Structures are given as structure tokens and as C-alpha cells.
Amino acid sequence: MCVDLTLFPLDTIKTRLQSQQGFTKAGGFRGIYAGVPSAAIGSFPNAAAFFVTYESTKSALGAHGALSAPHMAPVTHMLGASLGEVVACLIRVPTEVVKQRTQASLSSNTYQVLLATLREEVVFYFQIPFSLVQFPLWEYLKTQWSRRQGHTLYSWQAAVCGAFAGGIAAFVTTPLDVAKTRIMLAKAGTSTASGNIPLVLLDVWKTRGLTGLFSGTIPRVTSISLGGFIFLGAYEKVRRTLL
């Protein structure tokens, strides 16, 4: 929740840059905290659902069998992150739809957008590709750094690894994020709202080219890198303290 509230303005700017109506028409720099209630409400159960699933899957798969071998760790982390995202998205997607529509429509508040969304449709978009890159990379960076210094990483070091992993994952998955934003902001009944990702990406490529596919990259990479530092660093610190 701390990450979401702190970095929310960057997320709003990113959403408006990716919006089909354009940055200025979507609100520009006005009302950059529009949609924050839905993000705040979804933070607690979303994070809890992800990490309970992620850690449980890692423990179960790494305990015995073919996936317990050290060289299979990335596969274990990918499976854990994927399952974690599937479970977390049951919570995240409805709140994300409401948040982004509020960010790009200053004339409506969170409650009004929520009612409209429930009436029209619920978009289910699973953000598995991002976690498939971020978490195996995070675990790999932690392992390599730990080996080099000969002991377990401090929390701040895990946070640095989280920032790098998040930034890289954010950059390579930006086109998918652009498609997700377009789909979530689309009106019910339109071709974009159908959720056909390849067609949405093709449309962005035809109208705005490569810059369109990577629109919002700077605020996205910045916010997710900072978010990865705060979130994963705090997670490691609290987890070690409790255990």
C-alpha cells in the first residue's frame, strides 16, 4: 500500500500517456491521484494473495522431485510467480480497471466508474509475463550477489536486486502494458474491448509506431524500479524479522 500511494502519480502519468485519446485529453497533469481509492483497497489482499501463493509454490516444488535441483530454480520461480499472479489477478484486475478508467476520466469518481464497470463488463487480464521476468531475475540476482560476498544478503541488497529486476521486466513488457491499458479503457462492445492483444498491438503499431508500443516507458520503469526497491526490500526485511 505504501508503494501504491507513494508512486501513484507516476502510474497515472503512464496510464494517460498510453491512453488512446492522448495524454492531454486524458487529463495531463491534472488530478494525478484520481483512482487512488481503488488502488489502496486492492493493495492488501492483492499482495497477500500473491506472496502466499508464490512462497507456498516455491516450497512445495523445491522440496523434492525434479524441480528441487539447483539448476531448476528458475523454473520453480517462474511457476510460483505465474500461479501467484493468477490468484492475485482475481483481486487486482477489477481494481485495476476502476483505477485506470478513473485516471483517464476526470469527470467521474471511483465510485461512479466502479458502478459503470460492474454494469458493462469485467476485464480479466493476467499479467503473468511481467512476473515471469521479474521474480526469476530477482531470485537470480540475489543468489549471485550472495555467492560473491559469501553470506545472505541484507534487506537493502535484496531491495536493490528488486529494483533492477523490476526495471528490466517493466521495460520488456511495456508493449503488453500498453495493450492492457487500451483494453481496460475501451468502451464495451468495441473491438479493443474484446481483449485481442495481438490486434490491439497491431493497431498501436499502425497508428503510432514503435514509440506507441513503448509509450509510458520512462514513468513505468521509474515507478516499478522504485516500487520494487521499496516493496521487495520491505518484504524481505519483515519476512526475516517474523521468521
Side-chain angles (χ1 to χ4, degrees):
M1 184 174 183
C2 179
V3 172
D4 286 343
L5 295 180
T6 303
L7 303 177
F8 196 85
L10 283 174
D11 186 67
T12 301
I13 292 170
K14 183 268 299 181
T15 296
R16 291 174 181 175
L17 285 169
Q18 295 176 346
S19 173
Q20 195 165 8
Q21 59 188 314
F23 179 72
T24 304
K25 289 184 178 179
F29 290 102
R30 294 179 290 114
I32 56 175
Y33 272 94
V36 75
S38 61
I41 292 170
S43 293
F44 287 103
N46 173 48
F50 176 84
F51 274 108
V52 165
T53 307
Y54 177 66
E55 293 291 351
S56 298
T57 303
K58 277 204 311 178
S59 298
L61 295 179
H64 51 78
L67 293 178
S68 61
H71 69 278
M72 294 299 290
V75 177
T76 301
H77 299 150
M78 286 181 181
L79 289 173
S82 298
L83 289 176
E85 280 293 341
V86 170
V87 174
C89 273
L90 295 177
I91 300 167
R92 180 188 303 134
V93 172
T95 59
E96 186 79 359
V97 172
V98 175
K99 181 200 72 174
Q100 290 197 326
R101 289 184 176 178
T102 307
Q103 287 175 329
S105 179
L106 292 179
S107 60
S108 303
N109 58 36
T110 297
Y111 178 69
Q112 291 171 328
V113 174
L114 174 60
L115 292 180
T117 300
L118 292 176
R119 282 198 303 267
E120 295 173 11
E121 84 277 9
V122 177
V123 179
F124 290 97
Y125 182 86
F126 297 99
Q127 297 169 317
I128 293 176
F130 176 81
S131 289
L132 278 176
V133 178
Q134 183 190 32
F135 281 90
L137 183 56
W138 179 52
E139 299 282 4
Y140 174 79
L141 291 173
K142 289 195 298 177
T143 300
Q144 293 303 312
W145 198 348
S146 178
R147 284 177 181 173
R148 284 178 177 273
Q149 67 182 16
H151 61 79
T152 305
L153 298 185
Y154 298 112
S155 298
W156 70 266
Q157 293 174 311
V160 171
C161 293
F164 275 102
I168 293 171
F171 178 77
V172 299
T173 59
T174 294
L176 289 177
D177 189 63
V178 171
K180 181 203 73 173
T181 299
R182 292 289 183 94
I183 292 169
M184 286 185 167
L185 295 180
K187 294 182 178 180
T190 62
S191 58
T192 301
S194 65
N196 191 317
I197 297 173
L199 286 180
V200 174
L201 290 175
L202 182 61
D203 180 62
V204 174
W205 170 263
K206 287 180 177 179
T207 56
R208 299 182 61 188
L210 189 63
T211 56
L213 291 174
F214 283 89
S215 59
T217 296
I218 293 177
R220 174 173 163 80
V221 171
T222 302
S223 63
I224 291 179
S225 295
L226 291 173
F229 183 90
I230 298 169
F231 185 59
L232 296 176
Y235 173 74
E236 284 285 318
K237 179 66 176 178
V238 173
R239 186 173 68 90
R240 291 174 187 175
T241 300
L242 292 177
L243 296 178

